[in-house]
Structure formats: structure tokens, C-alpha cells
């Protein structure tokens, strides 16, 4: 989104909406309607949109440090959700052909023809237009424009431009997944400040190790679909070395935000960062020793890492204690 959409990692957990839809197998009208509704829900990849919540709320709390504007937060989340749902739906439209080939995506609505492609496209466009109008109305024009830019970037630059052409697809395409930080900040302030850029950088650098760890596990799926993810075209040693590099960049970027925060965030960023680095180095060391490694563990734990860091930021911002930067000013 991707607002809330990590390139390459979409569908990693499967779709809860798709699984639920499979339960409605009866011939009656209610069952058919429920299956159709849940198929449209599955197009939005609801589990992937969790990143929207993780990134947007703490960013907004930091932007309005010491104050909690529940109405604006909920309004921004709803607009951001529509934007993420739009990007994910249009991604499904563009990737329908390879989704049919990859085992972990074969049950997506368009791959199994549960929804007509034209309908899915219209659904995605309507959601995108709705997200722009809603955020312009409830927040400001900049927030609405940022959402539109995110959708266009995710669909045209990442999905149609980078994904099938370069092994660096998730590095540059991951910029779409960082946009909730800018949207959340702009909704509060009407502009974009350096802390928002730092949070953008945190998600930007976090995306490659997160996604490549998943791609190591499913590299045969990507190879079959003709998607040149880094684990498909490079050795495990080269991939895990890159994972370590980007993990260091992620942790260092979280620390760059410390001057704008208090001691709680600083402590959480340090401890969680050390833990994340340890996991990345353990994966690299295991590959160097020729051991059988479990990259999916790093993928799953990377979600926990990001959640912990942003939750620490949220608590720190709500409390509104003196920032560390204020002690040096």
C-alpha cells in the first residue's frame, strides 16, 4: 500500500475473510450473499491492513504530543483503511495471473474467480476515491492527496513496474507501506515534519528484512510465478547478509527519533532493537554455518518488533513527558 500493505508480503498469513467464506457452502441465498460479501472483504486483505493501525495512531499521538484527539484519530484511520483497501484490491486485480500460480495466494477471490475482475476494479477505484474525499473532509487536503499518491505508487510503481522486473522490488516499492506515518502526521499538523520522515524511514528499512525472510520460505512460489524476489535470484548467505544490513538501518533510524521523544520510547527502541538485531544475526550465522534455518521466525517476530516500538512511541507520546531533545536545547 500500500497504506498498510507490505510489498511482497501480502497474503503471507492467508485471508481470514476467504477462510470464513469457505464455511458458507450452502445453496441458499443468504449463503451466496455472505460468500460474495466476504469475497469482497478478502480483496482488501484485511489482515495486512494491521500495519495501518500500528503506524498511524502512534504517529498522530507524537504529532500532537500530550493530547489525544479521538475523533481525528478514528476519522483518519477510517480514511486510511479505505485507501489501504483500495490499494490491496487493485493489487489483486493486477496480480490475478500470478496469484493463480502461487500456492499461498491461490485462494484469493480473483484467483478462484469468486469476484468478476471488472467488479473488483470498480470496487478498488471507488474505495480510493472515497478515501480521498473522506480525508479531505475530516482532516485536510494534504492527507487526502498523500493517500491517493500511495495508491498510485503501490499499484503502478510497485505492482506493475517493479515487482516482476527487479530483485530490489520490495526495497523501493516498500515506500508505499511507509505512507501511514506521513498521512497521520499531516492529518494532525497539516504538514510533514522531520519526525514523520524518521518514522517513514523506520518502516522503509524494516520492510526488506521482513519481506525477504518470508520470501526465503516461499521462494519456490515466487520462482514459479516469475517474480524475481531477492531469495529467488541470490544465495541464502547474500540474502541474510542484506537482512542484517537493513535491520541495522531500521534500528538506527528508530534511535534517530529519540530527540523528539521521552525516556520510555528511547528505552523501548534500544531493547527491542537489540532483540531484533540478535535475531537477524542469528539467521545470518546459521546460514554461514550451513545449518537449516527458519526464516519464517524472523518474519513473524519482525511484526512483533515493529508493534513494540510503535506501542512504546504511543505510550511515550500520550504521557507527554519532557523530550530528550529538550535537555540539550
Amino acid at each position: 500500500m500500500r497504506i498498510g500493505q507490505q510489498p511482497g508480503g501480502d497474503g503471507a498469513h492467508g485471508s481470514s475473510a476467504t477462510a470464513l467464506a469457505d464455511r458458507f457452502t450452502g445453496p441458499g441465498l443468504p449463503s451466496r450473499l455472505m460468500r460474495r460479501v466476504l469475497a469482497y472483504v478478502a480483496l482488501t486483505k484485511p489482515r495486512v491492513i494491521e500495519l495501518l493501525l500500528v503506524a498511524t495512531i502512534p504517529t498522530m499521538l507524537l504529532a500532537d504530543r500530550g493530547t489525544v484527539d479521538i475523533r481525528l484519530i478514528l476519522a483518519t484511520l477510517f480514511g486510511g483503511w479505505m485507501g489501504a483497501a483500495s490499494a490491496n484490491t487493485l493489487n489483486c486485480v493486477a496480480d490475478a495471473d500470478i496469484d493463480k500460480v502461487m500456492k499461498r495466494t491461490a485462494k484469493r477471490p480473483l484467483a478462484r474467480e469468486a469476484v468478476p475482475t471488472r467488479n473488483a476494479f470498480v470496487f478498488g477505484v471507488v474505495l480510493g476515491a472515497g478515501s480521498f474525499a473522506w480525508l479531505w473532509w475530516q482532516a485536510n487536503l494534504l492527507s487526502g492527496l498523500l493517500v491517493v499518491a500511495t495508491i498510485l505508487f503501490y499499484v503502478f510503481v510497485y505492482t506493475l513496474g517493479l515487482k516482476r522486473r527487479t530483485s530490489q522490488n520490495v526495497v523501493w516499492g516498500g515506500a508505499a507501506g511507509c505512507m501511514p506515518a506521513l498521512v497521520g502526521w499531516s492529518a494532525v499538523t497539516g504538514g510533514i515534519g522531520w519526525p514523520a520522515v524518521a518514522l517513514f524511514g523506520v518502516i522503509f528499512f524494516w520492510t526488506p528484512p521482513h519481506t525477504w525472510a518470508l520470501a526465503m520460505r516461499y521462494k519456490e512460489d515466487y520462482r514459479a510465478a516469475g517474480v524475481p524476489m531477492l531469495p529467488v535470484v541470490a544465495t541464502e548467505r547474500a540474502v541474510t547478509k542484506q537482512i542484517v544490513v537493513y535491520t541495522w538501518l531500521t534500528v538506527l533510524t528508530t534511535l534517530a527519533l529519540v530527540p523528539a521523544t521521552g525516556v520510555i520510547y528511547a528505552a523501548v527502541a534500544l531493547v527491542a532493537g537489540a532483540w531484533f538485531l540478535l535475531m537477524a544475526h542469528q539467521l545470518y550465522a546459521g546460514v554461514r554455518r550451513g545449518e537449516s534455518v527458519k526464516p519464517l521466525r524472523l518474519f513473524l517476530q519482525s511484526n512483533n518488533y515493529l508493534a513494540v516500538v510503535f506501542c512504546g512511541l504511543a505510550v511515550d507520546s500520550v504521557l507527554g513527558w519532557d523530550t530528550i531533545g529538550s535537555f540539550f536545547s
Side-chain angles (χ1 to χ4, degrees):
M1 159 168 108
R2 78 214 221 14
I3 299 177
Q5 169 67 25
Q6 282 310 315
D10 42 31
H13 306 283
S15 172
S16 55
T18 299
L20 186 58
D22 291 340
R23 298 181 185 181
F24 293 89
T25 56
L29 180 60
S31 294
R32 292 199 301 272
L33 288 175
M34 184 59 70
R35 287 199 302 271
R36 179 60 59 90
V37 169
L38 291 175
Y40 278 96
V41 172
L43 282 172
T44 70
K45 304 177 188 175
R47 301 182 76 175
V48 174
I49 299 179
E50 292 170 3
L51 179 63
L52 172 71
L53 300 176
V54 173
T56 305
I57 296 176
T59 302
M60 295 183 72
L61 293 173
L62 177 63
D64 200 12
R65 188 172 173 78
T67 303
V68 180
D69 187 341
I70 295 295
R71 187 208 65 80
L72 182 59
I73 290 174
L74 292 177
T76 304
L77 287 176
F78 180 67
W81 172 83
M82 284 195 291
S86 169
N88 292 336
T89 298
L90 295 174
N91 170 265
C92 284
V93 172
D95 278 351
D97 58 333
I98 62 175
D99 283 348
K100 293 179 181 179
V101 177
M102 299 175 67
K103 293 179 181 179
R104 69 182 182 84
T105 58
K107 289 188 176 182
R108 286 182 179 171
L110 293 183
R112 56 191 177 88
E113 300 181 353
V115 176
T117 301
R118 183 181 65 178
N119 291 10
F121 175 76
V122 172
F123 180 57
V125 171
V126 169
L127 282 170
S131 68
F132 168 73
W134 175 265
L135 286 172
W136 187 4
W137 175 40
Q138 293 292 321
N140 51 60
L141 178 59
L142 178 59
S143 297
L145 291 174
L146 286 171
V147 166
V148 172
T150 301
I151 296 169
L152 295 176
F153 184 91
Y154 183 58
V155 174
F156 290 100
V157 177
Y158 169 68
T159 304
L160 297 177
L162 297 172
K163 185 173 183 178
R164 308 190 195 198
R165 291 180 172 84
T166 172
S167 62
Q168 296 298 300
N169 45 23
V170 300
V171 176
W172 302 111
C178 313
M179 293 300 285
L182 302 187
V183 173
W185 189 277
S186 67
V188 174
T189 68
I192 299 175
W194 76 262
V197 176
L199 289 169
F200 180 101
V202 169
I203 303 174
F204 181 83
F205 292 126
W206 169 86
T207 299
H210 168 77
T211 308
W212 286 335
L214 173 71
M216 287 178 67
R217 171 66 177 81
Y218 291 104
K219 65 181 179 181
E220 295 306 321
D221 249 10
Y222 285 109
R223 179 177 285 115
V227 179
M229 297 292 286
L230 187 63
V232 174
V233 301
T235 64
E236 282 194 341
R237 183 165 180 171
V239 174
T240 52
K241 184 176 181 180
Q242 286 296 304
I243 285 176
V244 168
V245 170
Y246 277 95
T247 300
W248 270 101
L249 290 172
T250 302
V251 174
L252 290 174
T253 308
T254 64
L255 298 179
L257 189 64
V258 165
T261 64
V263 293
I264 292 178
Y265 171 78
V268 170
L270 280 170
V271 174
W275 172 59
F276 193 28
L277 284 168
L278 176 63
M279 288 192 298
H281 279 277
Q282 285 178 337
L283 181 64
Y284 178 54
V287 169
R288 287 189 62 186
R289 292 193 296 264
E291 299 173 356
S292 177
V293 296
K294 297 180 179 180
L296 202 58
R297 177 174 175 267
L298 177 64
F299 166 78
L300 295 173
Q301 293 302 324
S302 67
N303 287 321
N304 295 333
Y305 163 76
L306 198 67
V308 166
V309 169
F310 276 84
C311 284
L313 177 61
V315 172
D316 187 279
S317 299
V318 169
L319 291 176
W321 295 348
D322 290 343
T323 64
I324 292 177
S326 68
F327 293 109
F328 299 96
S329 61

